[in-house]
Amino acid sequence: MGLRRGKLVQQMPPSAEPDHLDAPKPAPRFPGTAFDVVALASSAGGIAAIGHILESLPAGFPAAIVVVQHLDPRHRSLMAEILRRRTHLEVVQAAEGDHIRPGTVHIAPPDRHLLVNRDGSLSLTQSELVHFVRPSADLLFESVAASFKQRAIAVVLTGTGSDGSLGIGAIKKMGGTVIAQNQESAEFFGMPAAAIKSGHADFILRLEEIPPALVTLVAEGVVR
């Protein structure tokens, strides 16, 4: 099933923190899953790639999905409407204060960074561009890593540039799993190539291999 980088090992959860009234709420844990959130990132060619992944996932996919796709900030995005026609999953454009939900796809709006907080809520910010882009895959991945630690999956898909190659380092540092699309199936190989070159990709897969890998990872924590 494609080239596998290293052996996937489920990390032990961190020790419980002391109870304090003002302590942040822990990240939500969805029942029956080894991973709670899947973060997808793409640029050029990404809408078709993301559409293929979403249409191939079952209606009962038990993890939440968050998406960064580089879009023209000058125009209203129709991405949620386009993808909604191709999948049984619920697809929404992310809004400030929304909470991630199993089986729901939250898409970053144009010209806003998308962050996932520890309590599962979403934040949108128009802070400065990161490596010339907004939304930034690096910021999304870093927020998901900080909030969900070993229960997060990052997927780097077709696109130009290197966005995401730094953020996947945070995913790996916290014990999460990283998938990169392979060169043969990527319309533009810049982003996946940068992710692979970083050394943090656990799996390098053809586009059509990614949905079944996500299903088995989320359900069992391994790819068979």
Side-chain angles (χ1 to χ4, degrees), residues 13 56 58 99 105 115 131 147 187 218:
S56 303
H99 282 74
V105 183
L115 307 175
H131 301 300
S147 297
E187 187 175 352
V218 168

Side-chain angles (χ1 to χ4, degrees), residues 3-6 8 172 176-179 200-204:
L3 175 62
R4 180 168 177 169
R5 299 289 292 263
L8 177 63
K172 288 303 300 176
T177 296
V178 175
I179 297 172
H200 295 306
D202 295 290
F203 302 95
I204 303 169

Side-chain angles (χ1 to χ4, degrees), residues 77-98:
S77 173
L78 298 176
M79 185 173 172
E81 288 88 339
I82 293 170
L83 294 176
R84 199 174 291 135
R85 303 187 194 110
R86 299 186 59 179
T87 179
H88 295 293
L89 304 176
E90 182 180 2
V91 182
V92 298
Q93 182 167 284
E96 179 74 27
D98 283 354

Side-chain angles (χ1 to χ4, degrees), residues 49-129:
I50 292 170
H52 176 82
I53 290 173
L54 297 184
E55 71 183 6
S56 303
L57 293 176
F61 188 69
I65 300 174
V66 287
V67 176
V68 156
Q69 162 71 35
H70 300 157
L71 296 167
D72 188 338
R74 298 169 295 178
H75 303 289
R76 185 175 74 89
S77 173
L78 298 176
M79 185 173 172
E81 288 88 339
I82 293 170
L83 294 176
R84 199 174 291 135
R85 303 187 194 110
R86 299 186 59 179
T87 179
H88 295 293
L89 304 176
E90 182 180 2
V91 182
V92 298
Q93 182 167 284
E96 179 74 27
D98 283 354
H99 282 74
I100 61 171
R101 303 183 300 276
T104 300
V105 183
H106 305 265
I107 299 174
D111 206 31
R112 297 292 188 277
H113 294 307
L114 174 62
L115 307 175
V116 183
N117 303 311
R118 189 176 177 188
D119 64 355
S121 65
L122 300 177
S123 294
L124 300 176
T125 173
Q126 205 172 12
S127 58
E128 64 184 23
L129 303 180

Side-chain angles (χ1 to χ4, degrees), residues 113-164:
H113 294 307
L114 174 62
L115 307 175
V116 183
N117 303 311
R118 189 176 177 188
D119 64 355
S121 65
L122 300 177
S123 294
L124 300 176
T125 173
Q126 205 172 12
S127 58
E128 64 184 23
L129 303 180
V130 177
H131 301 300
F132 310 105
V133 297
R134 186 173 53 224
S136 162
D138 283 325
L139 291 188
L140 175 64
F141 291 162
E142 288 170 0
S143 72
V144 167
S147 297
F148 287 85
K149 300 179 172 58
Q150 76 276 9
R151 296 179 65 87
I153 299 172
V155 183
V156 182
L157 299 169
T158 174
T160 58
S162 61
D163 191 25

